[in-house]
């Protein structure tokens, strides 16, 4: 089941069964399960690296704001769009933030 991202506090992590290689400044990925190649690009490749361990969407955005010259709103929109594409392809897993208390 494809789980959407509900908030910036949700955590994302790489899915299993993908091989990622560097192609110059960009990254490409092969999904073993699907037998499909994906070009993650430079920014997508950086996001993929950051998702080796579970990380909140907010932490991803903060890291990207340090790495790239982009405003916060644009960065959030682009990250959410990219992650949504990865979710649709079953390439990442999403864990919703569980409120404590």
């Amino acid at each position: 089941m494809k789980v959407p991202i509900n908030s910036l506090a949700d955590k994302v992590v790489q899915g299993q069964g993908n091989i990622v290689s560097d192609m110059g400044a960009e990254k490409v990925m092969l999904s073993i399960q699907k037998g499909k190649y994906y070009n993650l690009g430079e920014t997508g490749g950086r996001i993929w690296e950051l998702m080796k361990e579970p990380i909140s969407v907010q932490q991803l955005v903060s890291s990207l704001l340090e790495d790239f010259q982009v405003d916060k709103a644009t960065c959030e929109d682009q990250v959410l769009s990219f992650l949504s594409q990865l979710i649709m392809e079953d390439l990442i897993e999403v864990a919703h933030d569980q409120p404590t208390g």
Side-chain angles (χ1 to χ4, degrees), residues 26-57:
E26 299 185 347
K27 288 197 181 302
V28 294
M29 175 172 46
L30 169 64
S31 169
I32 304 293
Q33 280 185 308
K34 294 184 174 275
K36 288 173 72 175
Y37 277 99
Y38 301 89
N39 183 347
L40 300 177
E42 182 181 357
T43 307
R46 179 70 182 126
I47 292 170
W48 186 259
E49 288 173 0
L50 292 167
M51 291 190 304
K52 283 183 182 174
E53 299 293 327
I55 184 172
S56 74
V57 177

PDB file of all heavy atoms in Angstrom, residues 26-57:
ATOM      1  N   GLU A  26      25.196  13.325 -11.227  1.00  0.00           N
ATOM      2  CA  GLU A  26      23.864  12.783 -10.994  1.00  0.00           C
ATOM      3  C   GLU A  26      23.925  11.339 -10.517  1.00  0.00           C
ATOM      4  O   GLU A  26      24.959  10.684 -10.599  1.00  0.00           O
ATOM      5  CB  GLU A  26      23.041  12.861 -12.281  1.00  0.00           C
ATOM      6  CG  GLU A  26      22.864  14.275 -12.777  1.00  0.00           C
ATOM      7  CD  GLU A  26      21.947  14.367 -13.981  1.00  0.00           C
ATOM      8  OE1 GLU A  26      21.634  13.329 -14.591  1.00  0.00           O
ATOM      9  OE2 GLU A  26      21.550  15.492 -14.309  1.00  0.00           O
ATOM     10  N   LYS A  27      22.793  10.852 -10.023  1.00  0.00           N
ATOM     11  CA  LYS A  27      22.679   9.462  -9.608  1.00  0.00           C
ATOM     12  C   LYS A  27      21.591   8.797 -10.439  1.00  0.00           C
ATOM     13  O   LYS A  27      20.572   9.403 -10.747  1.00  0.00           O
ATOM     14  CB  LYS A  27      22.309   9.355  -8.125  1.00  0.00           C
ATOM     15  CG  LYS A  27      23.441   9.727  -7.194  1.00  0.00           C
ATOM     16  CD  LYS A  27      23.177   9.230  -5.793  1.00  0.00           C
ATOM     17  CE  LYS A  27      24.266   9.603  -4.832  1.00  0.00           C
ATOM     18  NZ  LYS A  27      25.578   9.139  -5.158  1.00  0.00           N
ATOM     19  N   VAL A  28      21.830   7.533 -10.784  1.00  0.00           N
ATOM     20  CA  VAL A  28      20.813   6.725 -11.439  1.00  0.00           C
ATOM     21  C   VAL A  28      20.555   5.508 -10.562  1.00  0.00           C
ATOM     22  O   VAL A  28      21.434   5.071  -9.824  1.00  0.00           O
ATOM     23  CB  VAL A  28      21.221   6.293 -12.865  1.00  0.00           C
ATOM     24  CG1 VAL A  28      21.313   7.492 -13.782  1.00  0.00           C
ATOM     25  CG2 VAL A  28      22.515   5.512 -12.852  1.00  0.00           C
ATOM     26  N   MET A  29      19.339   5.001 -10.626  1.00  0.00           N
ATOM     27  CA  MET A  29      18.950   3.887  -9.776  1.00  0.00           C
ATOM     28  C   MET A  29      18.283   2.808 -10.616  1.00  0.00           C
ATOM     29  O   MET A  29      17.512   3.114 -11.530  1.00  0.00           O
ATOM     30  CB  MET A  29      17.979   4.377  -8.701  1.00  0.00           C
ATOM     31  CG  MET A  29      17.426   3.267  -7.840  1.00  0.00           C
ATOM     32  SD  MET A  29      16.468   3.849  -6.431  1.00  0.00           S
ATOM     33  CE  MET A  29      15.417   5.076  -7.124  1.00  0.00           C
ATOM     34  N   LEU A  30      18.580   1.567 -10.271  1.00  0.00           N
ATOM     35  CA  LEU A  30      17.895   0.422 -10.856  1.00  0.00           C
ATOM     36  C   LEU A  30      17.061  -0.210  -9.761  1.00  0.00           C
ATOM     37  O   LEU A  30      17.580  -0.569  -8.705  1.00  0.00           O
ATOM     38  CB  LEU A  30      18.907  -0.602 -11.397  1.00  0.00           C
ATOM     39  CG  LEU A  30      18.314  -1.959 -11.804  1.00  0.00           C
ATOM     40  CD1 LEU A  30      17.342  -1.812 -12.963  1.00  0.00           C
ATOM     41  CD2 LEU A  30      19.414  -2.952 -12.132  1.00  0.00           C
ATOM     42  N   SER A  31      15.768  -0.322 -10.019  1.00  0.00           N
ATOM     43  CA  SER A  31      14.877  -1.041  -9.110  1.00  0.00           C
ATOM     44  C   SER A  31      14.894  -2.500  -9.526  1.00  0.00           C
ATOM     45  O   SER A  31      14.437  -2.846 -10.617  1.00  0.00           O
ATOM     46  CB  SER A  31      13.456  -0.484  -9.189  1.00  0.00           C
ATOM     47  OG  SER A  31      12.566  -1.342  -8.500  1.00  0.00           O
ATOM     48  N   ILE A  32      15.441  -3.350  -8.671  1.00  0.00           N
ATOM     49  CA  ILE A  32      15.517  -4.784  -8.962  1.00  0.00           C
ATOM     50  C   ILE A  32      14.107  -5.354  -9.127  1.00  0.00           C
ATOM     51  O   ILE A  32      13.843  -6.110 -10.058  1.00  0.00           O
ATOM     52  CB  ILE A  32      16.265  -5.532  -7.832  1.00  0.00           C
ATOM     53  CG1 ILE A  32      17.658  -4.950  -7.611  1.00  0.00           C
ATOM     54  CG2 ILE A  32      16.318  -7.022  -8.113  1.00  0.00           C
ATOM     55  CD1 ILE A  32      18.621  -5.146  -8.733  1.00  0.00           C
ATOM     56  N   GLN A  33      13.202  -4.988  -8.226  1.00  0.00           N
ATOM     57  CA  GLN A  33      11.827  -5.508  -8.270  1.00  0.00           C
ATOM     58  C   GLN A  33      11.118  -5.163  -9.569  1.00  0.00           C
ATOM     59  O   GLN A  33      10.452  -5.982 -10.162  1.00  0.00           O
ATOM     60  CB  GLN A  33      10.999  -4.946  -7.103  1.00  0.00           C
ATOM     61  CG  GLN A  33      11.215  -5.647  -5.796  1.00  0.00           C
ATOM     62  CD  GLN A  33      10.279  -5.099  -4.740  1.00  0.00           C
ATOM     63  OE1 GLN A  33      10.205  -3.895  -4.530  1.00  0.00           O
ATOM     64  NE2 GLN A  33       9.560  -5.982  -4.079  1.00  0.00           N
ATOM     65  N   LYS A  34      11.251  -3.910  -9.993  1.00  0.00           N
ATOM     66  CA  LYS A  34      10.516  -3.446 -11.167  1.00  0.00           C
ATOM     67  C   LYS A  34      11.298  -3.618 -12.464  1.00  0.00           C
ATOM     68  O   LYS A  34      10.723  -3.549 -13.536  1.00  0.00           O
ATOM     69  CB  LYS A  34      10.138  -1.972 -10.994  1.00  0.00           C
ATOM     70  CG  LYS A  34       9.146  -1.745  -9.879  1.00  0.00           C
ATOM     71  CD  LYS A  34       8.754  -0.289  -9.841  1.00  0.00           C
ATOM     72  CE  LYS A  34       7.677  -0.041  -8.851  1.00  0.00           C
ATOM     73  NZ  LYS A  34       6.350  -0.280  -9.356  1.00  0.00           N
ATOM     74  N   GLY A  35      12.631  -3.783 -12.351  1.00  0.00           N
ATOM     75  CA  GLY A  35      13.453  -3.868 -13.550  1.00  0.00           C
ATOM     76  C   GLY A  35      13.461  -2.554 -14.316  1.00  0.00           C
ATOM     77  O   GLY A  35      13.545  -2.528 -15.536  1.00  0.00           O
ATOM     78  N   LYS A  36      13.360  -1.436 -13.588  1.00  0.00           N
ATOM     79  CA  LYS A  36      13.317  -0.114 -14.210  1.00  0.00           C
ATOM     80  C   LYS A  36      14.474   0.737 -13.722  1.00  0.00           C
ATOM     81  O   LYS A  36      14.898   0.625 -12.576  1.00  0.00           O
ATOM     82  CB  LYS A  36      12.007   0.604 -13.854  1.00  0.00           C
ATOM     83  CG  LYS A  36      10.786   0.034 -14.533  1.00  0.00           C
ATOM     84  CD  LYS A  36       9.503   0.660 -14.013  1.00  0.00           C
ATOM     85  CE  LYS A  36       9.304   2.082 -14.452  1.00  0.00           C
ATOM     86  NZ  LYS A  36       7.999   2.629 -14.033  1.00  0.00           N
ATOM     87  N   TYR A  37      14.957   1.596 -14.619  1.00  0.00           N
ATOM     88  CA  TYR A  37      15.982   2.586 -14.271  1.00  0.00           C
ATOM     89  C   TYR A  37      15.309   3.920 -13.988  1.00  0.00           C
ATOM     90  O   TYR A  37      14.320   4.277 -14.615  1.00  0.00           O
ATOM     91  CB  TYR A  37      16.962   2.786 -15.432  1.00  0.00           C
ATOM     92  CG  TYR A  37      18.052   1.756 -15.482  1.00  0.00           C
ATOM     93  CD1 TYR A  37      17.964   0.673 -16.346  1.00  0.00           C
ATOM     94  CD2 TYR A  37      19.187   1.868 -14.673  1.00  0.00           C
ATOM     95  CE1 TYR A  37      18.970  -0.277 -16.408  1.00  0.00           C
ATOM     96  CE2 TYR A  37      20.203   0.923 -14.724  1.00  0.00           C
ATOM     97  CZ  TYR A  37      20.084  -0.139 -15.591  1.00  0.00           C
ATOM     98  OH  TYR A  37      21.074  -1.076 -15.646  1.00  0.00           O
ATOM     99  N   TYR A  38      15.899   4.663 -13.053  1.00  0.00           N
ATOM    100  CA  TYR A  38      15.422   6.004 -12.718  1.00  0.00           C
ATOM    101  C   TYR A  38      16.627   6.931 -12.681  1.00  0.00           C
ATOM    102  O   TYR A  38      17.663   6.579 -12.122  1.00  0.00           O
ATOM    103  CB  TYR A  38      14.752   6.025 -11.335  1.00  0.00           C
ATOM    104  CG  TYR A  38      13.584   5.089 -11.221  1.00  0.00           C
ATOM    105  CD1 TYR A  38      13.764   3.773 -10.820  1.00  0.00           C
ATOM    106  CD2 TYR A  38      12.293   5.517 -11.520  1.00  0.00           C
ATOM    107  CE1 TYR A  38      12.687   2.902 -10.711  1.00  0.00           C
ATOM    108  CE2 TYR A  38      11.211   4.659 -11.416  1.00  0.00           C
ATOM    109  CZ  TYR A  38      11.421   3.354 -11.017  1.00  0.00           C
ATOM    110  OH  TYR A  38      10.359   2.497 -10.907  1.00  0.00           O
ATOM    111  N   ASN A  39      16.492   8.119 -13.266  1.00  0.00           N
ATOM    112  CA  ASN A  39      17.527   9.140 -13.152  1.00  0.00           C
ATOM    113  C   ASN A  39      17.102  10.062 -12.014  1.00  0.00           C
ATOM    114  O   ASN A  39      16.114  10.784 -12.130  1.00  0.00           O
ATOM    115  CB  ASN A  39      17.667   9.922 -14.461  1.00  0.00           C
ATOM    116  CG  ASN A  39      18.779  10.944 -14.391  1.00  0.00           C
ATOM    117  OD1 ASN A  39      19.301  11.251 -13.322  1.00  0.00           O
ATOM    118  ND2 ASN A  39      19.149  11.475 -15.536  1.00  0.00           N
ATOM    119  N   LEU A  40      17.845  10.018 -10.922  1.00  0.00           N
ATOM    120  CA  LEU A  40      17.502  10.834  -9.764  1.00  0.00           C
ATOM    121  C   LEU A  40      17.989  12.270  -9.900  1.00  0.00           C
ATOM    122  O   LEU A  40      17.532  13.152  -9.191  1.00  0.00           O
ATOM    123  CB  LEU A  40      18.095  10.217  -8.493  1.00  0.00           C
ATOM    124  CG  LEU A  40      17.626   8.809  -8.155  1.00  0.00           C
ATOM    125  CD1 LEU A  40      18.351   8.299  -6.913  1.00  0.00           C
ATOM    126  CD2 LEU A  40      16.122   8.749  -7.957  1.00  0.00           C
ATOM    127  N   GLY A  41      18.937  12.503 -10.795  1.00  0.00           N
ATOM    128  CA  GLY A  41      19.501  13.842 -10.942  1.00  0.00           C
ATOM    129  C   GLY A  41      20.414  14.169  -9.771  1.00  0.00           C
ATOM    130  O   GLY A  41      20.661  13.343  -8.891  1.00  0.00           O
ATOM    131  N   GLU A  42      20.903  15.378  -9.743  1.00  0.00           N
ATOM    132  CA  GLU A  42      21.818  15.791  -8.679  1.00  0.00           C
ATOM    133  C   GLU A  42      21.090  15.984  -7.356  1.00  0.00           C
ATOM    134  O   GLU A  42      21.477  15.437  -6.325  1.00  0.00           O
ATOM    135  CB  GLU A  42      22.530  17.085  -9.078  1.00  0.00           C
ATOM    136  CG  GLU A  42      23.540  17.557  -8.039  1.00  0.00           C
ATOM    137  CD  GLU A  42      24.233  18.845  -8.433  1.00  0.00           C
ATOM    138  OE1 GLU A  42      23.996  19.362  -9.536  1.00  0.00           O
ATOM    139  OE2 GLU A  42      25.023  19.346  -7.610  1.00  0.00           O
ATOM    140  N   THR A  43      20.002  16.745  -7.380  1.00  0.00           N
ATOM    141  CA  THR A  43      19.259  17.014  -6.145  1.00  0.00           C
ATOM    142  C   THR A  43      18.584  15.745  -5.637  1.00  0.00           C
ATOM    143  O   THR A  43      18.630  15.442  -4.446  1.00  0.00           O
ATOM    144  CB  THR A  43      18.212  18.122  -6.373  1.00  0.00           C
ATOM    145  OG1 THR A  43      18.862  19.261  -6.941  1.00  0.00           O
ATOM    146  CG2 THR A  43      17.531  18.512  -5.075  1.00  0.00           C
ATOM    147  N   GLY A  44      17.963  14.999  -6.545  1.00  0.00           N
ATOM    148  CA  GLY A  44      17.328  13.741  -6.150  1.00  0.00           C
ATOM    149  C   GLY A  44      18.335  12.758  -5.582  1.00  0.00           C
ATOM    150  O   GLY A  44      18.039  12.018  -4.636  1.00  0.00           O
ATOM    151  N   GLY A  45      19.542  12.761  -6.152  1.00  0.00           N
ATOM    152  CA  GLY A  45      20.602  11.905  -5.633  1.00  0.00           C
ATOM    153  C   GLY A  45      20.991  12.283  -4.219  1.00  0.00           C
ATOM    154  O   GLY A  45      21.234  11.420  -3.371  1.00  0.00           O
ATOM    155  N   ARG A  46      21.024  13.587  -3.949  1.00  0.00           N
ATOM    156  CA  ARG A  46      21.335  14.061  -2.591  1.00  0.00           C
ATOM    157  C   ARG A  46      20.230  13.649  -1.625  1.00  0.00           C
ATOM    158  O   ARG A  46      20.503  13.192  -0.511  1.00  0.00           O
ATOM    159  CB  ARG A  46      21.513  15.584  -2.598  1.00  0.00           C
ATOM    160  CG  ARG A  46      21.811  16.170  -1.246  1.00  0.00           C
ATOM    161  CD  ARG A  46      23.209  15.797  -0.771  1.00  0.00           C
ATOM    162  NE  ARG A  46      23.427  16.360   0.558  1.00  0.00           N
ATOM    163  CZ  ARG A  46      23.813  15.646   1.619  1.00  0.00           C
ATOM    164  NH1 ARG A  46      24.084  14.367   1.500  1.00  0.00           N
ATOM    165  NH2 ARG A  46      23.972  16.221   2.778  1.00  0.00           N
ATOM    166  N   ILE A  47      18.980  13.780  -2.040  1.00  0.00           N
ATOM    167  CA  ILE A  47      17.859  13.358  -1.200  1.00  0.00           C
ATOM    168  C   ILE A  47      17.978  11.862  -0.915  1.00  0.00           C
ATOM    169  O   ILE A  47      17.804  11.418   0.221  1.00  0.00           O
ATOM    170  CB  ILE A  47      16.510  13.695  -1.871  1.00  0.00           C
ATOM    171  CG1 ILE A  47      16.305  15.211  -1.912  1.00  0.00           C
ATOM    172  CG2 ILE A  47      15.348  13.014  -1.145  1.00  0.00           C
ATOM    173  CD1 ILE A  47      15.123  15.664  -2.754  1.00  0.00           C
ATOM    174  N   TRP A  48      18.296  11.079  -1.939  1.00  0.00           N
ATOM    175  CA  TRP A  48      18.413   9.630  -1.770  1.00  0.00           C
ATOM    176  C   TRP A  48      19.504   9.289  -0.739  1.00  0.00           C
ATOM    177  O   TRP A  48      19.304   8.446   0.127  1.00  0.00           O
ATOM    178  CB  TRP A  48      18.710   8.961  -3.111  1.00  0.00           C
ATOM    179  CG  TRP A  48      18.687   7.476  -3.019  1.00  0.00           C
ATOM    180  CD1 TRP A  48      19.764   6.641  -2.948  1.00  0.00           C
ATOM    181  CD2 TRP A  48      17.531   6.636  -2.959  1.00  0.00           C
ATOM    182  NE1 TRP A  48      19.338   5.345  -2.856  1.00  0.00           N
ATOM    183  CE2 TRP A  48      17.982   5.308  -2.855  1.00  0.00           C
ATOM    184  CE3 TRP A  48      16.160   6.886  -2.982  1.00  0.00           C
ATOM    185  CZ2 TRP A  48      17.112   4.223  -2.783  1.00  0.00           C
ATOM    186  CZ3 TRP A  48      15.295   5.808  -2.909  1.00  0.00           C
ATOM    187  CH2 TRP A  48      15.762   4.496  -2.801  1.00  0.00           C
ATOM    188  N   GLU A  49      20.649   9.972  -0.827  1.00  0.00           N
ATOM    189  CA  GLU A  49      21.729   9.748   0.140  1.00  0.00           C
ATOM    190  C   GLU A  49      21.258  10.043   1.562  1.00  0.00           C
ATOM    191  O   GLU A  49      21.572   9.302   2.496  1.00  0.00           O
ATOM    192  CB  GLU A  49      22.928  10.650  -0.170  1.00  0.00           C
ATOM    193  CG  GLU A  49      23.711  10.254  -1.386  1.00  0.00           C
ATOM    194  CD  GLU A  49      24.786  11.286  -1.733  1.00  0.00           C
ATOM    195  OE1 GLU A  49      24.925  12.313  -1.021  1.00  0.00           O
ATOM    196  OE2 GLU A  49      25.481  11.061  -2.735  1.00  0.00           O
ATOM    197  N   LEU A  50      20.524  11.137   1.721  1.00  0.00           N
ATOM    198  CA  LEU A  50      20.051  11.531   3.053  1.00  0.00           C
ATOM    199  C   LEU A  50      19.045  10.540   3.626  1.00  0.00           C
ATOM    200  O   LEU A  50      18.862  10.477   4.841  1.00  0.00           O
ATOM    201  CB  LEU A  50      19.427  12.933   2.999  1.00  0.00           C
ATOM    202  CG  LEU A  50      20.413  14.078   2.731  1.00  0.00           C
ATOM    203  CD1 LEU A  50      19.658  15.355   2.385  1.00  0.00           C
ATOM    204  CD2 LEU A  50      21.333  14.296   3.922  1.00  0.00           C
ATOM    205  N   MET A  51      18.406   9.755   2.764  1.00  0.00           N
ATOM    206  CA  MET A  51      17.383   8.805   3.226  1.00  0.00           C
ATOM    207  C   MET A  51      17.940   7.414   3.523  1.00  0.00           C
ATOM    208  O   MET A  51      17.182   6.465   3.649  1.00  0.00           O
ATOM    209  CB  MET A  51      16.261   8.676   2.182  1.00  0.00           C
ATOM    210  CG  MET A  51      15.419   9.903   2.038  1.00  0.00           C
ATOM    211  SD  MET A  51      13.948   9.630   1.023  1.00  0.00           S
ATOM    212  CE  MET A  51      14.652   9.024  -0.499  1.00  0.00           C
ATOM    213  N   LYS A  52      19.263   7.286   3.665  1.00  0.00           N
ATOM    214  CA  LYS A  52      19.833   5.975   4.012  1.00  0.00           C
ATOM    215  C   LYS A  52      19.264   5.482   5.340  1.00  0.00           C
ATOM    216  O   LYS A  52      19.018   4.307   5.522  1.00  0.00           O
ATOM    217  CB  LYS A  52      21.361   6.042   4.091  1.00  0.00           C
ATOM    218  CG  LYS A  52      22.006   6.069   2.736  1.00  0.00           C
ATOM    219  CD  LYS A  52      23.512   6.054   2.831  1.00  0.00           C
ATOM    220  CE  LYS A  52      24.092   6.124   1.432  1.00  0.00           C
ATOM    221  NZ  LYS A  52      25.528   6.255   1.417  1.00  0.00           N
ATOM    222  N   GLU A  53      19.102   6.410   6.263  1.00  0.00           N
ATOM    223  CA  GLU A  53      18.467   6.146   7.550  1.00  0.00           C
ATOM    224  C   GLU A  53      17.175   6.955   7.575  1.00  0.00           C
ATOM    225  O   GLU A  53      17.085   7.976   6.905  1.00  0.00           O
ATOM    226  CB  GLU A  53      19.375   6.584   8.704  1.00  0.00           C
ATOM    227  CG  GLU A  53      20.712   5.867   8.759  1.00  0.00           C
ATOM    228  CD  GLU A  53      20.590   4.389   9.083  1.00  0.00           C
ATOM    229  OE1 GLU A  53      19.671   4.019   9.846  1.00  0.00           O
ATOM    230  OE2 GLU A  53      21.389   3.597   8.558  1.00  0.00           O
ATOM    231  N   PRO A  54      16.175   6.510   8.351  1.00  0.00           N
ATOM    232  CA  PRO A  54      14.925   7.296   8.412  1.00  0.00           C
ATOM    233  C   PRO A  54      15.212   8.751   8.785  1.00  0.00           C
ATOM    234  O   PRO A  54      15.982   9.029   9.695  1.00  0.00           O
ATOM    235  CB  PRO A  54      14.120   6.592   9.506  1.00  0.00           C
ATOM    236  CG  PRO A  54      14.617   5.173   9.476  1.00  0.00           C
ATOM    237  CD  PRO A  54      16.089   5.287   9.159  1.00  0.00           C
ATOM    238  N   ILE A  55      14.604   9.653   8.020  1.00  0.00           N
ATOM    239  CA  ILE A  55      14.807  11.093   8.219  1.00  0.00           C
ATOM    240  C   ILE A  55      13.477  11.792   7.976  1.00  0.00           C
ATOM    241  O   ILE A  55      12.716  11.394   7.085  1.00  0.00           O
ATOM    242  CB  ILE A  55      15.914  11.619   7.265  1.00  0.00           C
ATOM    243  CG1 ILE A  55      16.220  13.101   7.512  1.00  0.00           C
ATOM    244  CG2 ILE A  55      15.560  11.371   5.809  1.00  0.00           C
ATOM    245  CD1 ILE A  55      17.440  13.611   6.743  1.00  0.00           C
ATOM    246  N   SER A  56      13.197  12.819   8.775  1.00  0.00           N
ATOM    247  CA  SER A  56      11.943  13.547   8.572  1.00  0.00           C
ATOM    248  C   SER A  56      12.052  14.399   7.310  1.00  0.00           C
ATOM    249  O   SER A  56      13.151  14.794   6.895  1.00  0.00           O
ATOM    250  CB  SER A  56      11.614  14.429   9.780  1.00  0.00           C
ATOM    251  OG  SER A  56      12.463  15.557   9.814  1.00  0.00           O
ATOM    252  N   VAL A  57      10.909  14.668   6.715  1.00  0.00           N
ATOM    253  CA  VAL A  57      10.881  15.516   5.527  1.00  0.00           C
ATOM    254  C   VAL A  57      11.447  16.894   5.883  1.00  0.00           C
ATOM    255  O   VAL A  57      12.188  17.492   5.099  1.00  0.00           O
ATOM    256  CB  VAL A  57       9.449  15.614   4.957  1.00  0.00           C
ATOM    257  CG1 VAL A  57       9.401  16.558   3.765  1.00  0.00           C
ATOM    258  CG2 VAL A  57       8.934  14.235   4.578  1.00  0.00           C
TER     259      VAL A  57
END
